[in-house]
Amino acid sequence: MSLPKPSWSWASLPALLLVWCIAASRLPPYVLPQPWEVASEALRWIRSGDLGRQIGASLLREVGGFGAAVVVALAIGTAGGLSERFRAFVSPLVSLFMAIPPIAWAPLCLIFFGLGYLAIAVVIFIASVFPMAVTIQEGVLGIVGGQVRAARTLGASRAQLLCHVYLPASLPFVTAALRIGFSQAWRALVAAEMIGASQGIGWMVAMGGQVGNAGQVLLGIALIGLIAWLAETIVFRRLERHYQAWRAP
């Protein structure tokens, strides 16, 4: 009986902490504090209640901007997959918007909507809607034609085709689109908060840098990575595994 191969994924975080400790021991604390000093900074934020407020502000913006992007991306991607004319019409626009870094829209959004929730939510929307729309469109285009012909032979209407053929068959691509879109949205959120917000995780990082508090900066960076990792592991990977079997051979 062969023993299972050991997994080395568990060792990556301790290795990172070890490198961090070694590097911090050779640098001044105001440049790179030790991990326990960052943990102490985290406890200070937790006890004051500010950490929860900053995380909540970021998540609220993410949910608003990303949620709106999902709805619009589903509409654009599905329509682009079903209609050649619509696809030809939107393709140049999608290519143009995807070529522009999302953070470039932040100053314009701040001018239009002012400092606050809406400006950052719009940046998140722009960052995530087009990559998701393209992925969903490719999924609809990749649906096997025999499935559609069989449904039409059985008398399925256009609405029934959409609900019972196109939607189930494209779900693996929809879940992949959500994973890609969330990643883009999260990066845009943090960058936009560093430019034009008065609270949020990105604001924490920016303010820590301005006042020279490296512990606060590293705490914000750790939160950014931790929340993204949790979303990736708990939500999107599970969704992809669940619907991967639906992918047409």
Side-chain angles (χ1 to χ4, degrees):
M1 182 177 178
S2 60
L3 296 174
K5 292 182 179 180
S7 173
W8 290 96
S9 60
W10 62 270
S12 57
L13 185 57
L16 175 63
L17 290 174
L18 178 61
V19 172
W20 182 355
C21 291
I22 294 172
S25 66
R26 298 175 179 273
L27 294 170
Y30 63 86
V31 175
L32 183 63
Q34 291 284 358
W36 52 86
E37 294 174 324
V38 177
S40 177
E41 181 75 10
L43 286 175
R44 184 178 69 82
W45 279 78
I46 291 171
R47 287 169 180 164
S48 67
D50 287 337
L51 189 63
R53 283 192 287 271
Q54 307 312 321
I55 295 173
S58 292
L59 292 179
L60 185 63
R61 293 165 181 149
E62 179 77 2
V63 168
F66 180 61
V70 169
V71 174
V72 175
L74 282 170
I76 294 175
T78 304
L82 296 176
S83 171
E84 186 176 352
R85 291 181 179 179
F86 182 81
R87 185 165 63 251
F89 174 76
V90 300
S91 181
L93 299 176
V94 171
S95 299
L96 173 66
F97 278 91
M98 287 184 65
I100 301 172
I103 197 59
W105 296 98
L108 189 61
C109 290
L110 289 171
I111 293 171
F112 281 169
F113 305 111
L115 187 68
Y117 174 87
L118 187 56
I120 297 175
V122 171
V123 174
I124 295 168
F125 174 87
I126 295 172
S128 56
V129 66
F130 299 108
M132 287 194 293
V134 170
T135 306
I136 294 169
Q137 176 182 287
E138 293 303 312
V140 175
L141 286 171
I143 293 172
V144 178
Q147 299 174 355
V148 179
R149 287 193 295 271
R152 284 175 175 166
T153 301
L154 294 172
S157 66
R158 196 175 187 86
Q160 288 173 326
L161 280 172
L162 180 63
C163 294
H164 299 290
V165 178
Y166 284 107
L167 181 59
S170 62
L171 275 175
F173 295 92
V174 172
T175 55
L178 292 176
R179 186 178 180 182
I180 294 169
F182 179 84
S183 176
Q184 296 293 328
W186 188 245
R187 291 188 181 100
L189 163 73
V190 173
E193 285 183 340
M194 293 178 72
I195 294 175
S198 56
Q199 57 180 347
I201 301 174
W203 172 83
M204 279 180 61
V205 174
M207 287 302 298
Q210 290 180 18
V211 301
N213 187 342
Q216 180 175 320
V217 173
L218 289 170
L219 173 60
I221 291 172
L223 286 173
I224 293 165
L226 177 62
I227 294 172
W229 178 79
L230 288 173
E232 174 85 3
T233 304
I234 297 175
V235 180
F236 298 111
R237 285 187 182 175
R238 289 186 178 183
L239 280 174
E240 280 196 334
R241 284 196 299 267
H242 180 74
Y243 290 112
Q244 191 66 28
W246 294 34
R247 191 186 294 270

